[in-house]
Structures are given as C-alpha cells and as structure tokens.
Amino acid sequence: MPTQAAVAVDRPFAHHSADGQAIVVNQLSKRFRVDDGVVTALDKVSLDVRQGEFVAIVGPSGCGKSTLLKILTGLLTPSAGETRIGGIVTKGPRRDIGTVFQAPLLFAWRTVLENVMLPADVQKLDRERSVQRAHSLLDLVGLTDFKRRYPNELSGGMQQRVSIARALLHDPAILLMDEPFGALDAMTRERMNLELQRLWLESNKSILFITHSIPEAVFMANRVVVMTPRPGRVAEIMDIDLPAGRGLEIMNSPEFGAYVSRIRAHFGSSGVID
Ligand code: ADP
Ligand code: MG
C-alpha cells in the first residue's frame, strides 16, 4: 500500500483526497448579474461527499442546484468559496468524473451509440473495450434497440438515458447527476433508481445526485442535503439510516415516511417541492 501522500502525488486524478473526501463544497456563493440587479443563486453553501457515499441534494426549483453542479464541473466560476473534487480545486472542465446535466446535451449528428462513445473518443480509450461497455450500458438503460438512431428520433426521457450511459462509459469514480430521471415516466424512473443503486453498491462510486423529489432523495441516498428556496442555502444535512440495497417496498415503511416528512417540513405547505 502506498502512503496517502504518495497516492496524491502519483495520481493527479485520484478518486478522493487524502482525507477521504471525493467532493468538497466550501462556503460557495454565486451571484448572477441580471438586467435589474443581482440574483443570489447560492449563499455560502458547504457540503461534502465522502469516498463511496451517495449524497442527494434536494431543494425547490430555482434554489441553485444546477448552478452548484455547473460550478463543480468548471462550467461556471464561483463568486466566493471553492469546490474540490478528489482533493483538486475545480478550475475548469475535467474528464475524470461522469456528469449528467439536467438537459441531455447530445450531439445531433451522432447516433445513440456514438454519443455514448464520446468519452472514449475524447480520452482515446481502448476502442473495442469501450464499444463493449457502451453496448452493456445501453442495455442497462433499456436502449439497445435504439443504438443506431439519432437524438431527434428519441423522447426526452430516452435522450436523458443516453446521457446517463455516456456519463458511465469511462467508469468514473465520481458521478455528478442533475435531476437525471426528471423526464422519465414513473415506472422507468423506479427501474433506473434501482439500477443506479445497484451500480453504486457494486462499484463503490461517490455520487452527488440532485433531485427535487423528496422520496427519490431518501430512497437513493445515505445522506440528504436539504436546500432552502432561493437564495440556496443548506437547511439541513440528514443521515438516512435505512439499510443499503433498498427495495421499492421500503417507501411504505414508517421510517421512510418519517424522513420524507422531516424534509418536507422545511418547505411548509408552500407546495414548492414534490
Ligand atoms: P435549480 O437548478 O435549483 O432549479 P438554478 O441553479 O438553475 O436552480 O438557478 C438558480 C437561480 O439562479 C435561479 O433564480 C435562476 O434564474 C438563476 N440563474 C441561473 N443561471 C443564471 C444565469 N446564467 N444568469 C442569470 N441568472 C441565472
Ligand atoms: Mg436545475
């Protein structure tokens, strides 16, 4: 076993920092200048994802969830504070993570299979192994029959599943997902929840999963970060002490219901969240 210091030096894309943190968000604020002033999207947000954790962020529309994810991926710069992935401060886009954005962002001129293969092309990964992996991921997301189709021939939910397969192609240790199942019908969404849970349990990935569904957050995560309506702040960070390897029936348990109620209480009866 190398020492932790040696790991950090030898592997610039280490999966986590020496302190076991996969993702760190430290006192992060983001303000946008708009025509009639300034919008504060995030206000001193701090949270972390330890190596191997599944952390869900839940909060109403407009509370800065997507802004946070864009800062984590280097697409936006913070107004104050910083984010670190695998111990390295985010400075710009990086390839060692898998990202599913809220809007699928597929290339119109590439087939479904070619879209999933994108990380392999960009990172010059072994072609044969990547194609095999692409096929099994397309199977996982239920799109085997559509691999030769183009994005404009797919529904929004199917496009989202393509972007999920693409995010997993290079087997990243860290996954960032922004409402990845938002456009799916209820049954497909449940199936994808179970598949992602299985993948997480088998692979020991560190996952940051954004959702505006409270039950989905409680079902998937071992910790839930609850955000306030805009400006986005952390209202509470909650451990979910439900057994790993959850089945859908757990949603009917009193413990599950108690977590959901406790999170919902943050939003009162405003109806701002599912
Ligand atoms: P969420 O993903 O939680 O729904 P967003 O991060 O998309 O929220 O947006 C948070 C707030 O920041 C919203 O009020 C939104 O209008 C504003 N916002 C996001 N991006 C921009 C931008 N590029 N310019 C101005 N305002 C923005
Ligand atoms: Mg969003």
Side-chain angles (χ1 to χ4, degrees):
M1 255 296 272
T3 63
Q4 287 187 323
V7 171
V9 172
D10 291 341
R11 298 174 59 191
F13 290 157
H15 298 157
H16 55 94
S17 58
D19 55 6
Q21 303 281 32
I23 298 171
V24 176
V25 175
N26 188 15
Q27 292 288 303
L28 187 70
S29 297
K30 180 66 182 178
R31 292 176 290 276
F32 291 108
R33 234 176 290 278
V34 291
D35 288 345
D36 51 348
V38 171
V39 173
T40 302
L42 295 168
D43 186 26
K44 299 194 185 78
V45 168
S46 293
L47 57 94
D48 61 6
V49 181
R50 296 190 276 270
Q51 202 268 326
E53 263 200 307
F54 195 123
V55 173
I57 298 182
V58 67
S61 178
C63 77
K65 303 181 298 296
S66 295
T67 300
L68 171 61
L69 186 119
K70 287 175 192 162
I71 292 173
L72 276 166
T73 55
L75 286 177
L76 285 175
T77 54
S79 304
E82 64 176 18
T83 62
R84 290 195 296 276
I85 292 183
I88 301 168
V89 175
T90 310
K91 289 270 163 55
R94 41 194 286 174
R95 296 166 176 176
D96 54 330
I97 57 178
T99 311
V100 179
F101 291 100
Q102 195 169 353
L105 299 172
L106 302 178
F107 289 99
W109 60 91
R110 284 183 157 232
T111 64
V112 164
L113 179 64
E114 288 164 355
N115 267 286
V116 175
M117 283 292 287
L118 194 77
D121 297 345
V122 172
Q123 300 178 44
K124 311 221 181 329
L125 305 178
D126 181 89
R127 177 117 198 130
E128 202 174 321
R129 268 189 51 201
S130 300
V131 169
Q132 267 177 22
R133 218 179 131 75
H135 281 117
S136 65
L137 285 166
L138 283 169
D139 193 38
L140 180 87
V141 299
L143 289 177
T144 295
D145 294 342
F146 294 86
K147 62 188 170 212
R148 308 260 169 245
R149 303 290 193 85
Y150 288 86
N152 67 2
E153 301 176 87
L154 308 183
S155 71
M158 290 160 90
Q159 293 182 23
Q160 220 169 10
R161 283 183 276 155
V162 176
S163 71
I164 293 165
R166 180 178 63 190
L168 292 167
L169 185 79
H170 52 304
D171 199 21
I174 295 174
L175 262 180
L176 307 173
M177 309 180 91
D178 191 359
E179 309 210 19
F181 307 141
L184 304 185
D185 61 87
M187 277 171 64
T188 310
R189 185 170 189 154
E190 286 181 349
R191 195 171 65 74
M192 293 302 299
N193 280 339
L194 290 169
E195 290 291 354
L196 180 62
Q197 176 182 239
R198 189 177 57 75
L199 189 115
W200 171 60
L201 290 172
E202 285 173 1
S203 64
N204 202 34
K205 289 184 194 308
S206 311
I207 302 181
L208 186 62
F209 181 94
I210 292 170
T211 177
H212 64 255
S213 161
I214 299 174
E216 186 175 66
V218 174
F219 180 71
M220 297 299 287
N222 68 280
R223 278 198 300 152
V224 173
V225 177
V226 184
M227 288 185 63
T228 63
R230 200 180 66 220
R233 299 191 178 105
V234 174
E236 186 179 1
I237 298 181
M238 201 181 292
D239 285 314
I240 307 297
D241 289 318
L242 297 170
R246 298 166 193 168
L248 294 172
E249 71 287 346
I250 204 167
M251 294 196 199
N252 302 319
S253 73
E255 294 82 2
F256 188 92
Y259 284 121
V260 170
S261 307
R262 187 166 140 198
I263 297 174
R264 204 179 296 281
H266 281 285
F267 307 105
S269 50
S270 55
V272 292
I273 195 161
D274 295 354

